[in-house]
Amino acid sequence: MSSSRSDDARTRNRAKIVAVNGHLRQLDQAADPALAELVRGGPLRTPAATAPEMLVRLRGATASGHPVPPKLWHSWEIIGSDLPEDPAVVPVSGSVGCSPAATAAWLRTRPEPSHPSLRYLNAVQSRSGGLFPVGAPMPHFERSWIINLFHVHGVACQIPESVLSSLESALGDDGIAAGDGLPVDADDTASVLWALDVHGRVHDLDPLLGYYDGTRFFTYPEERTPSPTANAHALEALGQRISRRAGDAGRYEAPARAARDWLIGAQSSDGSWTDKWHGSPFYATATSVNALATYGGPQARPTIERAVEWILDTRQGDRWGHGRGTEEETAYAAWILGLSDSVENRADIRSGLAAARDTLIGAEVTERTPALWIGKDVYTPVRIVRATCLAVLHSLNRNDHGN
């Protein structure tokens, strides 16, 4: 039951498909002519590499009252329980696994208005205009990502001491999670340690080194699908420390070098990177290129320029990305172009940066922005995406690109 979050995602997807097929069978049995078209195609096929037996075991365990790891509470609506408010599950500030869906499934019946979990659901829903996000609140994820974005792109701002203190207080011996109720992971741990270090709050990096296996950083124990972005953030946290405190180099140089080498080796033949936490290669590529450009040394320069070539090849007028392109992916593309040292491509790079600037000037990031981030479901962390577009635009304006 301790598989990685990507393996959990496969189990959840399998569970959803099984549930849909169950509904289709019920419609078929109902023999309603108005519904015949819906079931004509037959059951949905489950994707390869899923583990239906794992889902059966998990559901059987919860149904018989056996506790499951807190890591899986985030998906309680999938693994479920026949017992309302299962005592084996302990909500944090009212939420089960930082998930509105899991919390609602755990409650099952409408409790008293004063119930902490009902108050949590009402508060989350009111902030989202009636809808529910995939996970909330995730302050450590949002705050550290935005702090680091502003640092990377030179956005002058004063981070409130209370925000930095909140990150410090949530940081434990095993790292930090995106939000209370979620398991700790390397990605958020690296991002928080990096953000704190940049602002003078120096902490031992042992929580991050706990995710190092000698060749790369894993996001969770027993991870089967490594994450380039988690390794990029680990490289940035380590590189930041080495650059500021030379005395720590002997301790952190080896894992930093391993993360760099693993990232270089993970680049696709077309020059991009892909990652399980985001549906767009532009995010993974921007994150990897920034880490390598900042802390990868001269060995990483050819890798960076291959990514730049890929960006130039995937331009769609004044945009980049899925379909006709998105503002978010365009921001990542401009970020990558801005890190190039290429003289040969200078004119094309400048043209691309000018086009991206025109797009980002009019960027409007809302809850309806295309959902490209991947967790239990696809979602858009609106604050982070908005901060990305603004930070990249600030960098373009500061460097006078496009004028």
Side-chain angles (χ1 to χ4, degrees):
M1 298 183 192
S2 59
S3 58
S4 70
R5 188 160 68 179
S6 60
D7 301 328
D8 295 340
R10 293 191 184 96
T11 300
R12 288 190 293 266
N13 290 337
R14 165 82 190 197
K16 293 173 184 176
I17 291 172
V18 169
V20 169
N21 285 336
H23 288 300
L24 289 175
R25 283 193 296 271
Q26 291 175 3
L27 293 176
D28 190 33
Q29 293 167 4
D32 188 330
L35 300 175
E37 187 65 29
L38 293 175
V39 298
R40 184 170 297 169
L44 301 174
R45 289 181 296 177
T46 55
T50 55
E53 67 281 356
M54 181 185 296
L55 177 61
V56 172
R57 289 201 306 269
L58 288 172
R59 285 181 165 171
T62 56
S64 59
H66 293 291
V68 298
K71 170 184 176 179
L72 296 178
W73 296 351
H74 183 65
S75 301
W76 195 255
E77 76 278 16
I78 300 298
I79 60 176
S81 173
D82 293 332
L83 301 174
E85 299 187 17
D86 192 315
V89 176
V90 181
V92 177
S93 300
S95 81
V96 174
C98 199
S99 165
T103 304
W106 179 76
L107 283 171
R108 299 184 70 85
T109 57
R110 185 175 181 87
E112 293 297 318
S114 61
H115 195 290
S117 293
L118 185 59
R119 293 203 306 268
Y120 160 77
L121 289 172
N122 287 334
V124 169
Q125 187 180 43
S126 66
R127 290 197 298 268
S128 304
L131 301 175
F132 285 104
V134 65
M138 296 190 285
H140 315 319
F141 165 51
E142 290 186 327
R143 290 172 177 176
S144 63
W145 251 251
I146 292 172
I147 289 170
N148 294 332
L149 279 167
F150 286 175
H151 167 68
V152 165
H153 294 286
V155 179
C157 62
Q158 184 67 42
I159 306 299
E161 294 298 318
S162 60
V163 170
L164 297 173
S165 295
S166 72
L167 294 176
E168 275 188 320
S169 63
L171 184 64
D173 292 340
D174 296 328
I176 193 170
D180 294 338
L182 289 170
V184 295
D185 65 90
D187 211 4
D188 289 289
T189 299
S191 183
V192 167
L193 286 170
W194 180 26
L196 291 172
D197 201 291
V198 164
H199 290 85
R201 300 201 179 198
V202 179
H203 289 261
D204 194 283
L205 301 186
D206 278 355
L208 178 58
L209 294 183
Y211 298 92
Y212 175 56
D213 68 1
T215 60
R216 63 171 176 86
F217 286 81
F218 52 85
T219 315
Y220 294 96
E222 301 180 32
E223 183 177 50
R224 294 191 301 180
T225 51
S227 167
T229 58
N231 279 271
H233 290 140
L235 175 56
E236 286 167 323
L238 294 165
Q240 167 72 20
R241 175 59 56 83
I242 294 168
S243 68
R244 289 204 170 193
R245 295 168 68 95
D248 287 344
R251 187 176 183 189
Y252 299 128
E253 272 185 345
R257 187 165 52 250
R260 179 201 66 193
D261 294 344
W262 186 88
L263 268 179
I264 291 174
Q267 187 180 36
S268 300
S269 59
D270 65 3
S272 68
W273 281 264
T274 57
D275 200 279
K276 59 190 173 185
W277 306 130
H278 202 285
S280 171
F282 291 91
Y283 167 75
T285 303
T287 305
S288 300
V289 166
N290 186 75
L292 291 172
T294 310
Y295 300 114
Q299 300 94 325
R301 182 48 54 184
T303 304
I304 294 166
E305 297 303 338
R306 280 196 297 273
V308 171
E309 293 279 358
W310 176 71
I311 293 297
L312 294 175
D313 288 342
T314 54
R315 177 177 171 180
Q316 303 180 55
D318 61 353
R319 290 170 176 262
W320 281 261
H322 285 69
R324 292 177 293 176
T326 67
E327 286 89 351
E328 180 185 353
E329 292 166 293
T330 299
Y332 298 138
W335 185 353
I336 296 163
L337 291 178
L339 294 171
S340 177
D341 286 343
S342 173
V343 174
E344 178 184 356
N345 293 323
R346 182 174 297 170
D348 289 338
I349 290 171
R350 186 169 182 81
S351 171
L353 290 170
R357 180 175 177 273
D358 290 341
T359 294
L360 293 176
I361 285 175
E364 185 177 353
V365 179
T366 70
E367 286 77 6
R368 296 186 180 274
T369 293
L372 299 174
W373 295 65
I374 301 172
K376 180 166 63 174
D377 203 344
V378 292
Y379 68 104
T380 300
V382 173
R383 294 184 182 93
I384 291 176
V385 176
R386 187 177 292 150
T388 300
C389 293
L390 290 172
V392 172
L393 180 59
H394 169 83
S395 182
L396 292 173
N397 288 335
R398 183 188 59 187
N399 294 319
D400 199 35
H401 291 301
N403 291 336

